[in-house]
Amino acid sequence: MAQQASGTNPLAGHLKWPGVRYPFGANYNGFGTNFALFADQAEAVYLCLIDPDGGEQQLRLHDKTAGVWHCFLPMVGPGQRYGYRVHGPWDPARGLRYNPQKLLLDPYAKAIFGMSDNTQAVFGHTFGQPDVQDTTDSLGHTMLSVVTSPFFDWSGDTRPARPYSETIIYEAHVKGLTIRHPDIPPILQGTYAGLAHPVMVDYLRQLGVTAVELMPVHQFVQDSFLTQSGRRNYWGYNTIGFFAPHNEYSASGMAGEQVNEFKAMVRELHRAGIEVILDVVYNHTAEGNGLGPTLSFRGIANSTYYRLVESDPRHYFDTTGTGNSFNVRQPHALQLIMDSLRYWVTEMHVDGFRFDLASSLAREHGSVDRLATFFDLVQQDPVVSQVKLIAEPWDLGEGGYQVGNFPALWTEWNGKYRDTARDYWRGQPASLPEIASRFTGSSDLYLDDGRSPHASINFITAHDGFSLRDLVSYNEKHNEDNGEQNRDGESFNRSWNCGVEGPTDDPAVLALRARQQRNLMATLLLSQGVPMILHGDELGRTQLGNNNAYCQDNELAWVDWVNLDHDMLTFTRMLTQLRRAHPIFRRQRFFQGRPITSWAQVPDISWLRPSGEPMTDQDWRVGYAKTLTVVLNGEALNERDRFGIPVRDSSFSVFFNASEIPAQCLVPGRTEATRWRLVFDTADWPASAAPGEVDAGAMWTVRERSIVVLQAVS
């Protein structure tokens, strides 16, 4: 064990009060800090105070209440680095992996200093001998917990509290979004402060998004298999600190400064009316399987925090593909998750969460159960239940694909929407009925349990897969740079390269790709449900065919702010403005397909053949059909605003043509309108932005692979 040394506070070794068992972690009250650690099977626990020069002072904890070791240290405050050494049996066969030679992170640490170096010192076992305990001291090789201050000037911060009906999500990476932005000072690029910079905030506001969904900002680690090959964990789905903002995204420092910088970012985004949603990874931790490092949970309470194989506790039960699964069957593990969620809402002021591999959180006895304890706790929690809750409704276990099966309080990443939109626009046969269902909110998935269209988080691209530009430029993945012989990543992308794989100078191919991007973006932003845009898709961002950039912390994955697709940006801004201005595109109830009011005898939605006649059951079954007209009746919303006033809107006609040939479509002319105004034509952008009107009953040529939108004017 490391030698004791004098700490930063000479009084700390003499003043050690019992303290209290809750709240967990290190909590400063203005006079001193209370430390509390759950380690119910430990034989002894030492709190280790670490000097800036690496010196260590060990303080044995004598007070233990209900499995929690605790003490209070007067005069110890923010900035103090610390860790724990936990004594107990080393017996992997029984699931016990205590090793006091390893300095452990506090599971409740609110800030983390440094990064582990992945040498033998941070592993509890000896390399090549997984059942043999390693005796190398990890101090100087591992990360340190930091005491933080709870005090921050929020300047009257108020949450935007956007209803789902007004929400447009922008999935973003803190570093990747800003690190190449030429108008952000270099010292702030790639940081929380960079995202909060006025240039970035103004961009998001002008783009028309109402929420940023940040890829993981919980403290994560750099995986040894990546660092050994000169690569880095870019995405961050490898959490080790569920309360700590990732320290590498801080411009101000790692000794607690990252907490205030994150809070300042949230405050500035809120001032612009933009919500902050966190992509959170509670399904596993960065410690991996039994061959992984001992950084925190494994050395504190292995069988509490991790689900072990019951017949052989040496091994970890894994439904996540990462080596371990968080033990949602254990009350203290569940408590940590709920404490973490509440902390980020109450203390960090975030507005919601997207749960990575959320199905794994519902596995108490192997299968996915929508009645799982975790969902009950969320439902009952007065804080967490009131923010946005978004599930990634699948994991890698048996029966893990659960789209449409989450409880009513939740919204879901709609993977069926993604697949259908891609299939339709690449010209797959028999996709017309499916695209109609997804365009109107996926009632087949969400209506039966009483949810609204906004239960569907619609997306066409996300971090995990092709960017929008690459979706129309590559048939195959090109992940050679990942060092895995192109075996990693999804092989079935439902993409279409428009005739040429990758970069080309062919103007016809480039024009088609640009149109396809507009088609997909327009479909997304005009569909019922909540749209989510992947950062950079509005700019034409490319990853050169890499659909799994998890380890590409470089220019391949970062947003290029110099070589912009200005036409695509303008088009996307037009779409967000259109959606914001017209509630017909963001209904709070599903369409009924019939007249629903006494004053509007026209159905709330009409599906028409190109000839203008209503679609029949036989029409929907024609496998080769790829052309469709949908009329959205703005007089039949059957909704009221917050003041109880009935909502009215213009009516719109939307012509879809995914065919390779133009289609002659009749402009609707029953009682919806006598004249229509062209809003846009994806085959004729930006020229179609110019106003123009057409009479009802006229024929409109809808170009091949395009969308035309008309608005009723009379």
Side-chain angles (χ1 to χ4, degrees), residues 502-522:
T504 181
D505 295 325
D506 188 323
V509 173
L510 293 175
L512 178 56
R513 289 177 177 178
R515 187 188 306 177
Q516 287 287 77
Q517 290 176 80
R518 292 193 290 270
N519 290 335
L520 289 159
M521 187 67 78

Side-chain angles (χ1 to χ4, degrees), residues 158-364:
T158 57
R159 303 180 186 280
R162 297 269 190 181
Y164 278 117
S165 60
E166 298 177 4
T167 298
I168 300 175
I169 297 173
Y170 191 70
E171 190 193 28
H173 188 284
V174 170
K175 182 177 183 179
L177 181 60
T178 64
I179 193 167
R180 299 181 70 188
H181 201 299
D183 297 326
I184 296 176
I187 195 173
L188 304 182
Q189 292 173 351
T191 69
Y192 305 119
L195 185 54
H197 191 276
V199 168
M200 200 68 245
V201 175
D202 287 346
Y203 174 81
L204 294 171
R205 185 164 48 203
Q206 293 174 21
L207 181 59
V209 299
T210 67
V212 290
E213 181 177 298
L214 300 179
M215 293 177 64
V217 298
H218 287 177
Q219 185 70 49
F220 60 88
V221 304
Q222 291 299 330
D223 315 71
S224 58
F225 79 97
L226 292 176
T227 57
Q228 290 169 5
S229 60
R231 293 186 292 274
R232 286 172 52 82
N233 187 324
Y234 173 60
W235 286 352
Y237 292 93
N238 206 15
T239 304
I240 196 62
F242 293 107
F243 294 79
H246 187 65
N247 54 29
E248 293 179 315
Y249 299 157
S250 172
S252 51
M254 295 187 178
E257 297 92 347
Q258 63 266 51
V259 177
N260 284 345
E261 187 174 326
F262 183 94
K263 290 178 177 179
M265 176 196 72
V266 173
R267 183 185 63 200
E268 295 309 305
L269 289 168
H270 280 181
R271 285 175 175 171
I274 299 171
E275 295 184 310
V276 178
I277 299 170
L278 301 188
D279 192 338
V280 291
V281 189
Y282 293 109
N283 55 77
H284 74 280
T285 82
E287 291 184 305
N289 60 20
L291 300 179
T294 296
L295 303 173
S296 180
F297 307 92
R298 192 193 313 277
I300 295 171
N302 187 50
S303 61
T304 294
Y305 289 116
Y306 295 120
R307 189 167 176 187
L308 307 179
V309 177
E310 294 182 0
S311 60
D312 188 359
R314 173 186 286 103
H315 299 294
Y316 293 77
F317 186 84
D318 181 17
T319 61
T320 66
T322 63
N324 65 59
S325 298
F326 214 63
N327 192 3
V328 293
R329 302 188 296 179
Q330 219 288 337
H332 284 92
L334 278 172
Q335 183 180 19
L336 182 145
I337 294 175
M338 296 305 299
D339 285 347
S340 170
L341 292 170
R342 278 191 297 272
Y343 172 78
W344 285 97
V345 175
T346 60
E347 299 299 321
M348 307 294 270
H349 287 206
V350 305
D351 304 282
F353 305 94
R354 179 264 188 188
F355 292 80
D356 179 68
L357 301 183
S359 294
S360 68
L361 299 174
R363 292 184 182 272
E364 294 184 345

Side-chain angles (χ1 to χ4, degrees), residues 86-99:
V86 182
H87 294 249
W90 171 266
D91 191 353
R94 294 194 294 139
L96 303 173
R97 296 178 178 268
Y98 294 102
N99 189 337

